[in-house]
Amino acid sequence: METPTSNTTIDFILLGLFNHTRSHLFLFIVVMTIAIASLNGNALILLLILLDSRFHTPMYFLLSQLSLMDMTLVSTIVPKMAADYLSGKKSISPAGCGLQIFVSLTLGGGESFLLASMSYDRYVAVCHPLRYPVLMSWQLCLRMTVGSWFLGAADGLMQAAATLSFPFCRANEIDHFFCEAPILVRLACADTSVFENVMYICCVLMLLVPFSLILTSYSLILSSVLQMRTTEARKKAFSTCSSHLSVVGLFYGAAIFIYMRPKSYRSDNHDKVVSAFYTIFTPVLNPLIYSLRNSEVKGALKRWLRKCANVKPQYT
């Protein structure tokens, strides 16, 4: 039987996502390229929304928060993963591990509620356009945004503190590329069944409740769209909603797979692939799905690039 050790004195070893082979080196370069593209794309969205007064609306404010969450998630996970792979030093302190759990769950939970808020915004815009300023006021928008961040942070703090409170065995290797609560709990030398049941209930509340709200919103939107008389209006509404539903499907599918799957179906390799999908690949898709298919955003980007090109350096 393995001897439990103090969780404040040992470092954990992250085995990582890649091996030092040519094929894995190529995959590492691909992942880093995607991560950099994600950071640049989301930063560009934030910049456009900040600089263009036409985007100072609740819808684009919520979109800016989504981009901020995605940038923070990538910045928390990818630099450590890259440094470990390039240096060969794969250790992480308990404090660093707890920080990764807290940040990833804060952003994951926050994004879950934020997507629900965005679906409500689209419901009001499509089904009640004349009452949009009342039903989606700035005050309500700010409350939903703060609530999303707060609920995500509360979930992250609770799970990070509870996970690190367990004694861990000397076999402190984590077959993952960052610290994730369900993976770390497997190393505990204690009965974790109560915590896992509580974590499962939290996941139901943080994932399925917002997901139900999203499905309700889009069901009402679909019903309203089908009643529209003009083909152009239906096409525009379907285009907007399909983009949003694409992001919802990608995010919730990966999150439910990681946090709500029965123990008997869990696999370290599957966990790593799915975690890479929602921490690295999904953030780069959000700017593409939400923004580049949006004519207003593309127009603003062209105007901004044109303005930058017309700025001539002044010499003294």
Side-chain angles (χ1 to χ4, degrees):
M1 182 177 178
E2 291 176 303
T3 305
T5 61
S6 170
N7 54 350
T8 59
T9 58
I10 63 167
D11 283 349
F12 297 105
I13 306 299
L14 294 170
L15 298 182
L17 190 60
F18 305 109
N19 299 320
H20 289 278
T21 60
R22 286 187 177 182
S23 59
H24 277 222
L25 177 61
F26 173 75
L27 290 175
F28 172 76
I29 294 172
V30 170
V31 167
M32 292 304 300
T33 302
I34 291 172
I36 293 171
S38 172
L39 290 172
N40 290 334
N42 284 293
L44 182 59
I45 296 302
L46 276 171
L47 187 63
L48 288 176
I49 293 174
L50 178 66
L51 296 179
D52 197 323
S53 60
R54 281 166 286 200
F55 293 144
H56 295 172
T57 63
M59 182 185 95
Y60 286 105
F61 178 76
L62 293 174
L63 178 57
S64 73
Q65 295 302 299
L66 182 66
S67 293
L68 179 60
M69 288 180 177
D70 285 340
M71 286 180 62
T72 307
L73 183 61
V74 173
S75 300
T76 303
I77 304 300
V78 174
K80 171 63 177 171
M81 180 195 72
D84 288 350
Y85 180 77
L86 295 174
S87 67
K89 299 177 181 179
K90 300 184 177 183
S91 64
I92 184 170
S93 67
C97 203
L99 181 62
Q100 282 195 336
I101 293 173
F102 169 72
V103 173
S104 62
L105 286 173
T106 295
L107 298 173
E111 189 164 330
S112 178
F113 285 102
L114 188 67
L115 289 172
S117 301
M118 295 175 77
S119 71
Y120 171 76
D121 173 81
R122 290 300 83 207
Y123 159 72
V124 175
V126 173
C127 300
H128 303 284
L130 298 180
R131 300 180 61 195
Y132 183 86
V134 177
L135 296 177
M136 191 60 193
S137 63
W138 271 108
Q139 186 179 22
L140 178 60
C141 177
L142 292 174
R143 285 179 179 176
M144 290 193 297
T145 303
V146 172
S148 297
W149 281 98
F150 176 78
L151 290 171
D155 180 54
L157 182 62
M158 181 191 70
Q159 292 204 40
T163 301
L164 292 178
S165 69
F166 292 112
F168 292 101
C169 300
R170 292 190 181 277
N172 59 337
E173 292 184 344
I174 304 174
D175 192 7
H176 211 46
F177 62 96
F178 74 100
C179 289
E180 204 165 18
I183 311 299
L184 196 61
V185 165
R186 299 177 196 173
L187 300 180
C189 288
D191 182 13
T192 61
S193 57
V194 174
F195 171 68
E196 290 185 80
N197 290 333
V198 172
M199 185 168 63
Y200 187 85
I201 293 172
C202 286
C203 291
V204 169
L205 295 175
M206 300 294 289
L207 293 174
L208 295 188
V209 172
F211 188 57
S212 299
L213 295 174
I214 291 170
L215 290 180
T216 301
S217 295
Y218 282 108
S219 297
L220 294 172
I221 289 173
L222 179 60
S223 176
S224 179
V225 167
L226 293 176
Q227 296 176 17
M228 291 180 178
R229 296 181 179 180
T230 63
T231 304
E232 185 177 349
R234 284 198 299 269
K235 184 178 179 181
K236 183 178 180 180
F238 270 125
S239 176
T240 302
C241 294
S242 63
S243 299
H244 293 196
L245 284 173
S246 299
V247 173
V248 168
L250 292 171
F251 173 80
Y252 281 97
I256 290 172
F257 184 87
I258 289 292
Y259 288 97
M260 298 186 65
R261 203 169 20 134
K263 277 185 178 181
S264 57
Y265 291 94
R266 290 180 182 173
S267 163
D268 290 336
N269 288 331
H270 289 163
D271 287 345
K272 285 194 285 187
V273 172
V274 176
S275 294
F277 187 79
Y278 84 86
T279 59
I280 301 172
F281 297 106
T282 301
V284 79
L285 294 176
N286 287 345
L288 297 175
I289 293 174
Y290 270 101
S291 304
L292 294 185
R293 291 184 59 184
N294 186 313
S295 59
E296 293 178 350
V297 174
K298 287 191 289 188
L301 179 59
K302 290 178 182 178
R303 288 192 299 270
W304 185 71
L305 292 174
R306 198 179 302 118
K307 185 184 294 185
C308 291
N310 290 335
V311 174
K312 297 181 179 179
Q314 296 181 353
Y315 300 96
T316 57

